[in-house]
């Protein structure tokens, strides 16, 4: 029985077997902006992200809400001072951040993981280091961005108080001095809280764990230290109160401004550190800031390998 053979396809004409496709790749011949530009860009992007700018509406809700919550009490105080023609503001500039420390802690807890956890979770950190940017550049940009965002958060209500004090025709020299002292205080607070928040957030790529850990360190430590200080005050052991304050970020800042910025201590019995103890407070704050930077460098050197 004959078997039908398939018809052979016609041979392609000579020259059609090979094709060259131009896919458009070419060398970059534009300007090379270098590490400084990359560092500034990362700083700017991280600072904008701390307030949800350039991101979805959902990302803007919490930081903007916390910003409003920080400023509204200051606006109310100003309105009361103007309406009643008070001779002074109801709260010192240096006291405002201590009073609002719960809102500040919540802001750090929400934004520190947002700044670094996503890069860890999606493993994009090595991509940063494939460009002309080094570990120190990444850490400095992230640290500076979060500290700047916190400074905006904490300095804005002080500016509201200052403008309101001038509108109420309070003494210009006294208000300017208090405002400057308040800015120094919140600058230290921003550096310290940003460093602690970033170190904790950089440990885990899970944002939820980072938020919980930051809240625990900042709020629980303040509650524990305040409780121990109250016990020492009840037992008339006032000499121990300033030393107990060394073990909480909030009370550290409170001690520094009590010793050197003329603030009233928030410790039980208003027992704050003297100038000698204040030097210890300053050294501990600066040491924690330096340690946070060093730990971040070590962490990202391992991640970038």
């Amino acid at each position: 029985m004959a078997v039908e053979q398939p018809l052979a396809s016609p041979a392609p004409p000579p020259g059609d077997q090979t094709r060259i496709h131009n896919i458009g790749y070419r060398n970059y011949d534009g300007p090379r902006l270098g590490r400084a530009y990359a560092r500034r860009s990362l700083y700017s992007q991280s600072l904008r992200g701390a307030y949800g700018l350039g991101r979805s509406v959902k990302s803007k809700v919490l930081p903007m809400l916390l910003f409003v919550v920080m400023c509204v009490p200051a606006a109310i105080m100003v309105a009361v001072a103007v309406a009643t023609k008070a001779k002074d503001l109801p709260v010192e500039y240096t006291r405002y951040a201590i009073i609002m420390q719960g809102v500040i802690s919540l802001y750090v807890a929400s934004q520190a993981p947002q700044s670094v956890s996503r890069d860890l979770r999606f493993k994009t950190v090595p991509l940063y280091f494939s460009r002309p940017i080094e570990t120190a550049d990444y850490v400095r940009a992230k640290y500076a961005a979060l500290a700047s965002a916190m400074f905006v958060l904490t300095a804005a209500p002080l500016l509201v108080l200052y403008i309101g004090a001038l509108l109420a025709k309070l003494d210009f020299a006294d208000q300017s001095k208090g405002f400057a002292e308040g800015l120094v205080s919140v600058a230290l607070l921003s550096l310290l809280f940003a460093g602690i928040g970033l170190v904790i957030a950089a440990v885990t790529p899970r944002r939820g764990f980072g938020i919980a850990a930051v809240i625990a360190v900042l709020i629980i430590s303040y509650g524990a230290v305040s409780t121990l200080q109250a016990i020492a005050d009840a037992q008339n052991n006032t000499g121990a109160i300033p030393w107990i304050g060394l073990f909480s970020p909030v009370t550290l800042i409170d001690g520094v401004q009590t010793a050197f910025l003329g603030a009233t201590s928030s410790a039980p019995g208003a027992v704050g550190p003297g100038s000698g103890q204040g030097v210890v407070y300053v050294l501990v704050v600066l040491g924690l800031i330096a340690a946070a930077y060093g730990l971040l460098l070590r962490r990202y050197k391992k991640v970038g390998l």
Side-chain angles (χ1 to χ4, degrees):
M1 182 176 179
V3 179
E4 294 184 0
Q5 300 290 335
L7 296 176
S9 57
D16 283 356
Q17 295 93 338
T18 303
R19 297 179 183 274
I20 299 177
H21 296 277
N22 181 8
I23 57 179
Y25 290 123
R26 64 179 181 179
N27 293 330
Y28 175 74
D29 54 3
R32 304 285 180 175
L33 301 177
R35 288 174 55 190
Y37 178 81
R39 187 167 55 243
R40 290 194 302 270
S41 299
L42 183 57
Y43 167 80
S44 174
Q45 181 267 338
S46 300
L47 178 57
R48 286 168 53 84
Y51 285 97
L53 303 178
R55 301 172 60 202
S56 64
V57 175
K58 182 180 178 181
S59 301
K60 296 179 176 68
V61 173
L62 183 59
M64 292 300 182
L65 178 62
L66 293 176
F67 182 83
V68 172
V69 171
M70 282 290 295
C71 293
V72 166
I76 294 174
M77 293 177 189
V78 165
V80 171
V82 173
T84 60
K85 297 182 180 180
K87 295 183 179 180
D88 205 353
L89 292 173
V91 65
E92 298 175 355
Y93 291 97
T94 49
R95 286 279 296 154
Y96 192 86
I98 303 300
I99 295 172
M100 302 296 290
Q101 57 92 15
V103 179
I104 298 171
S105 299
L106 184 57
Y107 181 85
V108 179
S110 63
Q111 298 309 310
Q114 185 277 135
S115 180
V116 297
S117 294
R118 291 189 304 168
D119 291 342
L120 294 171
R121 183 166 67 253
F122 297 116
K123 303 184 186 303
T124 57
V125 175
L127 296 179
Y128 285 106
F129 301 153
S130 67
R131 299 297 179 185
I133 186 172
E134 297 184 359
T135 306
D137 299 320
Y138 180 89
V139 171
R140 288 170 190 164
K142 289 291 184 178
Y143 199 148
L146 185 58
S148 299
M150 288 200 57
F151 183 75
V152 171
L153 180 78
T154 52
L158 300 187
L159 181 61
V160 173
L161 289 174
Y162 181 63
I163 294 174
L166 297 183
L167 292 176
K169 298 180 180 180
L170 301 182
D171 186 76
F172 176 79
D174 289 343
Q175 297 304 316
S176 297
K177 178 183 177 183
F179 179 58
E181 290 171 346
L183 291 181
V184 173
S185 174
V186 297
L188 276 177
L189 183 146
S190 299
L191 287 170
L192 179 60
F193 276 43
I196 293 173
L198 288 175
V199 167
I200 296 172
V203 173
T204 173
R206 297 180 180 272
R207 185 179 180 186
F209 290 166
I211 292 174
V214 174
I215 290 176
V217 169
L218 295 179
I219 295 182
I220 294 178
S221 66
Y222 176 71
V225 166
S226 299
T227 301
L228 292 175
Q229 287 179 327
I231 293 173
D233 183 58
Q235 296 178 348
N236 294 322
N237 189 9
T238 56
I241 292 177
W243 298 114
I244 297 174
L246 291 169
F247 297 95
S248 166
V250 177
T251 52
L252 272 172
I253 299 300
D254 181 68
V256 170
Q257 65 185 21
T258 300
F260 298 111
L261 299 177
T264 302
S265 176
S266 62
V271 180
S275 58
Q277 294 168 322
V279 172
V280 178
Y281 270 70
V282 172
L283 292 176
V284 171
V285 170
L286 296 179
L288 287 174
I289 293 172
Y293 177 73
L295 289 172
L296 287 170
L297 276 179
R298 183 178 300 179
R299 168 64 172 159
Y300 282 98
K301 283 180 179 178
K302 292 180 180 180
V303 173
L305 294 177

